Structure formats: structure tokens, C-alpha cells
Amino acid sequence: MNLLITGGAGFIGSNFIRHILNKYPGYKIINLDKLTYAGNLSNLRDIENNPRYGFVRGDICDRKLVNFLVSKRPDAILNFAAETHVDRSILAPQDFIKTDILGTHTLLEAAKKYRTDIFIQISTDEVYGSILNGSFVEESPLRPNSPYSASKAGADLMVRAYQKTFAVPTLITRSSNNFGPFQYPEKLIPLFITNLLEDKKVPVYGDGEQVRDWVYVLDNCSGIDYVLHNGQIGEIYNISGNTEKTNLDITKIILTHLGKNESYIEYVKDRPGHDRRYSLSFDKLYNLGWRPRYDFSEAMVKTIQWYKENPDWWQKIKSGEYLEYYREQYGK
Ligand code: NAD
Ligand code: DAU
């Protein structure tokens, strides 16, 4: 298969590209990525010279470029590209509306024009909003609470509309909170690990009792791979690791692994509109045959170990050195 992957220089996209190239010796990938602050080519250093991989720097909102790449008739388009951080969406929602909604629309138009066979939208459990009891299923109503999740929900609805109205062969995956190597250190787990490695405190929002449903990134990658090969056109599939933890649970696990005590916790002002609990049922994908493989505790140990062993990767990001390098190489 030839795949067009967008946002492949980010956290999940780079793990997915590596997963596909390793698993399928005949597959080729083009990675279209704008290299925003979150895109990092060093996430793909080990495969950048692989003859089955090519990188194009560009924006999914760039109609001409998108049409050119889609006119080459990739067997599938997988759209990972997005603005993804909830706190940033509260500060600057426009970027989220532009990339997450208009960018997805630009890709859908191209998929319609060139009759792409498979279009997979990588979405999130946040489109369902917050749930205090029980778990979200694919039919749950969309009740997004942040500009990020509202933008992702807008994209999901546009994907649905293009499937219903124009018969664009779309599928959607909605995963819960991912963790693992190469996650940008603004998100809870990598921020807390790297702060503690720097002997800094960790900022817990509000009372820290919010619940997230964690999945190891390689399980999300195998779930998306499963949907690509076995999913039914027009369907939505939730992906999770079935591991609900409060933010304080996560914080204490990281503190213990890094030999720190609770004096390193700093309770700070809560996030506006903070979703209290996410919980995702993945029965639909389970019934199709997919299984998550990674045990949460072992995956957390592997993740903490990865950040310990790769200070160069996250220190460059945290110090701003990495952004300066990309500005020099690629302009703004
Ligand atoms: P990330 O922020 O690490 O990476 C996003 C990537 O998209 C970056 O490489 C960035 O340069 C690129 N990008 C941004 N705007 C672009 C544009 N206009 N054109 C081209 N490229 C652009 O994100 P992530 O955590 O890897 O998330 C990937 C996808 O998975 C997103 O769609 C996100 O909504 C979804 N998701 C993430 C999680 C999670 O826990 N991280 C969970 C569920 C769903
Ligand atoms: O659920 C999937 C979503 O998970 C993805 O769609 C998003 O792209 C991804 O960013 C993530 O969103 P969250 O808001 O759940 O992730 P984040 O890591 O920002 O925060 C996780 C929880 O930890 C949340 O309840 C807020 C809290 N938190 C976060 C940070 C960064 C803190 O208490 N302190 C912090 O410094």
C-alpha cells in the first residue's frame, strides 16, 4: 500500500509511521507535515533515509499542495495533522479551527476529487465531552467542551458529511489519552517526567481528581492499523487501553519511579472548562478482532525510561533550541 500520512512528524504520527514501515515491508509512506512547534523531524531520524519513506513540508490547508499529493493516488490518506493541546486552544482557538476543521475539509475535497479509496480521520475521545458514570460508545452524542475538542468534533462531522453526501470512503478512529516516546513535553505525562528529571515541581490543575483513560501509543498505532485493514467504510472506532487513572494517580506513579516525594506537587489554578472524566468503550473494535497488547504499568516504566535516556530530545524542545533550529532551516 502507498499511504499519505499527515502530521507524521508529531507524537502519534511518527510512532505510526515507524510501526507501518517495520510491519509491512512493501508499504510506502509520504508524510505531509507543516512542522509546527509540535512537529519534530528528529522523531523520525532512524527512518528518514528509508527508501520507502518521503517527507514533504507543507500545510494541510494548502489546497494546491494537497491536491498534488492526493492526485498521485495513494491507497489511503490518514489525517493525524492537528493542533492538539487543550490549553493552547483556550489561548488561541483560531489555529485549531483552521487546521483541525479547514485542513480536514481541504483533504476531504481532494479525496473526493481524486476518488481516494480510504480516508481515515484520527480523532479523539474528547469530542464526546465528559462522562461521570459509564463509558462512551461510538453512538454517544458529541458534546465537546474546549475549542480543541469542538474543532475535532467539527472535523468529524465534516468527515461524516463527505461520506454521506459524496460517498468519500471515510473511517474515523477516536482514541483516549496516549502516552509513550516522542510526546511533546507540554502534555501531562512527559511534562511531569521531564520536570522531575530537572528537579522542578509538577503543576497539578485543580484538585487533580480528573480521570483520563490511558492507552500506550503503540496500542493506538496497532488499533489504527487494524482499522485501516479491517474497518468498514463509514464506521467510527473507539480505541483505548482500558486504564482509567486520576491525574493524581499518574503524578504519584511518576514521583515514585523518579524517587521524589509529594512536596514536588504544586496545586495550580484549574483549566477552564476542565473535563472531569473520560472513559471509552472499545467493544466495537474488540469485536472486530483488535486487542491492546501493552500492560499500563510496564508501558509507563518504558516511557519514563525513554525520557531518562533521551534528555537531548526533550531538553532541546524545553530550552527553545529546537524551534530556533527549525526557523533557521525552514523559515518561520
Ligand atoms: P502532535 O501535536 O504531537 O502532532 C501534530 C502534528 O501535526 C505535528 O507534527 C504538526 O507539525 C502537524 N501539523 C499541525 N498543523 C498542521 C497543518 N496545518 N498541516 C500539516 N501538519 C500540521 O499531536 P499528536 O498527539 O501526535 O496527535 C495526532 C492526532 O491524534 C491529532 O489529530 C489528535 O487530535 C489525535 N489524538 C491525540 C491524542 C493524544 O493523546 N495525543 C489522543 C487522541 C487523538
Ligand atoms: O483524550 C485525548 C486527548 O488527550 C487528545 O485528544 C489531546 O490531543 C491530548 O492533548 C489529550 O488531552 P488532555 O487535555 O486530556 O491531555 P493533557 O496532557 O493536556 O492533560 C491531561 C490531564 O492532566 C488533564 O486533566 C489536565 C491535567 N494537567 C495537564 C497538564 C499539562 C495538569 O493537571 N497539569 C498540567 O500541567
Side-chain angles (χ1 to χ4, degrees):
M1 269 185 139
N2 290 338
L3 306 180
L4 174 61
I5 290 179
T6 69
F11 164 49
I12 304 175
S14 61
N15 277 289
F16 184 76
I17 289 174
R18 188 172 296 104
H19 163 90
I20 291 289
L21 289 177
N22 288 339
K23 185 165 167 195
Y24 302 104
Y27 282 30
K28 294 184 181 159
I29 290 175
I30 294 293
N31 172 18
L32 169 64
D33 197 295
K34 185 178 174 182
L35 296 182
T36 66
Y37 78 95
N40 185 343
L41 289 180
S42 62
N43 295 0
L44 293 159
R45 202 59 83 209
D46 53 327
I47 51 117
E48 68 187 358
N49 295 321
N50 187 319
R52 295 185 290 120
Y53 168 75
F55 174 69
V56 176
R57 189 183 192 210
D59 193 326
I60 59 166
C61 301
D62 180 342
R63 192 160 53 89
K64 218 168 139 194
L65 175 62
V66 164
N67 279 344
F68 171 74
L69 292 172
V70 177
S71 74
K72 300 291 168 198
R73 304 296 313 265
D75 299 299
I77 300 173
L78 292 101
N79 181 28
F80 291 80
E83 289 292 340
T84 63
H85 191 40
V86 174
D87 294 325
R88 288 179 190 258
S89 82
I90 295 166
L91 296 171
Q94 327 70 265
D95 295 344
F96 289 73
I97 297 163
K98 187 158 180 281
T99 287
D100 300 9
I101 303 181
L102 297 179
T104 301
H105 175 250
T106 307
L107 290 166
L108 285 166
E109 269 293 307
K112 176 181 139 212
K113 182 169 179 178
Y114 295 103
R115 299 177 190 279
T116 303
D117 288 332
I118 304 177
F119 183 104
I120 301 189
Q121 173 70 1
I122 308 302
S123 185
T124 167
D125 62 353
E126 295 203 13
V127 296
Y128 299 119
S130 185
I131 190 165
L132 289 184
N133 299 300
S135 301
F136 289 121
V137 293
E138 288 80 356
E139 292 75 31
S140 297
L142 302 190
R143 292 202 177 100
N145 294 316
S146 72
Y148 162 67
S149 51
S151 303
K152 292 293 290 187
D156 283 14
L157 294 177
M158 195 58 77
V159 169
R160 176 189 159 89
Y162 268 63
Q163 203 272 317
K164 298 284 180 197
T165 308
F166 303 115
V168 174
T170 65
L171 301 105
I172 297 177
T173 66
R174 292 187 181 140
S175 92
S176 57
N177 283 64
N178 286 225
F179 67 102
F182 300 109
Q183 186 168 28
Y184 196 87
E186 65 184 350
K187 308 280 165 67
L188 179 79
I189 290 181
L191 178 74
F192 282 20
I193 296 171
T194 58
N195 271 16
L196 292 171
L197 288 172
E198 294 178 303
D199 202 38
K200 288 184 186 153
K201 291 194 173 194
V202 293
V204 170
Y205 297 164
D207 63 5
E209 293 297 337
Q210 303 81 6
V211 174
R212 294 293 181 266
D213 188 347
W214 293 96
V215 61
Y216 188 55
V217 64
L218 294 184
D219 272 334
N220 186 23
C221 291
S222 80
I224 296 167
D225 171 0
Y226 204 85
V227 168
L228 171 66
H229 293 95
N230 303 283
Q232 284 208 356
I233 296 301
E235 294 295 320
I236 298 168
Y237 297 96
N238 290 342
I239 302 176
S240 101
N242 233 355
T243 310
E244 290 180 37
K245 301 266 178 223
T246 67
N247 294 338
L248 270 178
D249 291 336
I250 294 287
T251 306
K252 287 176 189 168
I253 291 169
I254 299 172
L255 284 169
T256 305
H257 277 296
L258 293 176
K260 304 281 191 195
N261 61 38
E262 291 183 23
S263 70
Y264 278 83
I265 297 179
E266 188 174 13
Y267 289 92
V268 299
K269 204 163 144 255
D270 208 356
R271 171 186 279 174
H274 200 168
D275 285 333
R276 195 68 181 166
R277 175 171 174 260
Y278 298 148
S279 176
L280 205 56
S281 159
F282 64 92
D283 286 356
K284 187 172 171 182
L285 196 53
Y286 187 93
N287 291 335
L288 200 67
W290 175 78
R291 303 283 181 275
R293 284 186 34 221
Y294 289 89
D295 168 75
F296 172 80
S297 305
E298 286 170 22
M300 269 301 277
V301 172
K302 273 162 89 89
T303 302
I304 293 171
Q305 197 56 28
W306 188 86
Y307 285 91
K308 269 181 164 174
E309 285 169 5
N310 291 279
D312 201 41
W313 183 87
W314 55 265
Q315 279 169 356
K316 274 194 180 128
I317 293 172
K318 280 188 139 182
S319 69
E321 186 186 329
Y322 155 75
L323 277 183
E324 274 165 36
Y325 169 78
Y326 275 92
R327 274 195 200 105
E328 269 169 34
Q329 297 289 311
Y330 294 102
K332 194 165 141 354

